[in-house]
Amino acid sequence: MQRRLPIYLLVDSSGSMRGEPIQSVNVGLSALLTALRQDPYALETVHLSIVTFDNKVKDLVPLQPLETAQVEDIELPNSGATHMGEALNHVCDLIDRDVKVSSADQKGDFRPMLFVMTDGSPSDLMEFDEAVRRIKGMKFSEVIACAAGPKAKTDYLQKFATQTVSLETMDSSSFATYFQWVSASIAATASGQQASGAPEDITLPPPPAEVQVVL
């Protein structure tokens, strides 16, 4: 069995992302797919899932190989809540269902990676707290959360992320740079997993200047 590297992208699709931000995210996701398809290690192992969340949680791309993944443009509601907690719980459910674990007979999938992007904060705080506990109990290799723009609350993201980064502005250049770093991080993980099989030995590329690490 070919070991897969499951990658989950969780994208805020609430009404506050309307305009240039969501247009830039759509462009960034397409660019990410194109970049990863040019990497032989990623093409061989990466399986991608994209989930969006506003007042509803939607599977934009169910977990599938890079070569078959097709990303439709994300459409936003006019307004509404940001159900980040529900979305995080949904990702945990997907992993429980889709990611193959190792057994005595064969090795399972590589440990999944999760990338979360939001320009705000969770509206469903009780479910969010439950989701934080679940995320911490899952065997992710990395959980990287991005706070996009000045209204994003990094303290919520730091509760579950292994690394939290921020974008000061929500223009096309900032999002393009962020998604370039995400694709480079996924590619580095894919090649590192195949070389060593040990996620703790993999070093992600440092974020560019536009993507600030939150300490």
Side-chain angles (χ1 to χ4, degrees):
M1 184 193 76
Q2 174 69 47
R3 299 184 73 187
R4 306 177 303 174
L5 174 58
I7 305 294
Y8 292 85
L9 303 179
L10 194 52
V11 181
D12 188 335
S13 55
S14 57
S16 56
M17 290 283 289
R18 185 169 301 282
E20 184 178 8
I22 200 61
Q23 292 172 8
S24 301
V25 167
N26 286 327
V27 170
L29 289 173
S30 295
L32 179 143
L33 271 180
T34 300
L36 289 176
R37 283 174 175 156
Q38 295 171 356
D39 183 283
Y41 295 108
L43 195 58
E44 185 174 343
T45 61
V46 168
H47 281 56
L48 186 67
S49 170
I50 304 176
V51 176
T52 62
F53 63 99
D54 39 74
N55 58 350
K56 297 180 180 178
V57 176
K58 308 180 190 72
D59 289 316
L60 188 70
V61 177
L63 188 68
Q64 60 188 277
L66 273 178
E67 59 188 0
T68 60
Q70 299 292 330
V71 182
E72 299 179 1
D73 282 354
I74 299 171
E75 298 182 0
L76 308 184
N78 291 325
S79 61
T82 303
H83 288 182
M84 190 188 304
E86 181 184 353
L88 290 170
N89 270 320
H90 181 66
V91 167
C92 292
D93 291 340
L94 294 177
I95 290 172
D96 286 339
R97 186 190 72 189
D98 296 332
V99 175
K100 298 179 176 67
V101 297
S102 297
S103 67
D105 300 323
Q106 62 184 12
K107 290 186 176 181
D109 292 327
F110 294 115
R111 289 166 61 182
M113 299 178 76
L114 172 60
F115 295 85
V116 181
M117 169 180 279
T118 182
D119 71 334
S121 58
S123 305
D124 52 346
L125 289 178
M126 288 185 64
E127 187 158 3
F128 175 79
D129 289 339
E130 176 196 340
V132 167
R133 291 191 291 271
R134 287 189 71 188
I135 290 287
K136 288 183 175 180
M138 307 293 286
K139 294 183 178 179
F140 288 102
S141 62
E142 293 283 350
V143 178
I144 296 175
C146 176
K151 294 183 180 179
K153 301 291 191 290
T154 58
D155 50 338
Y156 288 108
L157 302 179
Q158 288 179 295
K159 289 184 177 183
F160 63 85
T162 56
Q163 183 174 178
T164 303
V165 298
S166 67
L167 303 176
E168 285 192 358
T169 59
M170 298 174 68
D171 56 24
S172 58
S173 176
S174 294
F175 282 112
T177 302
Y178 170 74
F179 280 106
Q180 288 168 5
W181 175 63
V182 170
S183 62
S185 298
I186 294 171
T189 302
S191 61
Q193 293 280 28
Q194 292 193 52
S196 68
E200 60 271 12
D201 295 335
I202 297 168
T203 301
L204 299 183
E210 295 90 340
V211 182
Q212 300 179 349
V213 177
V214 179
L215 301 175

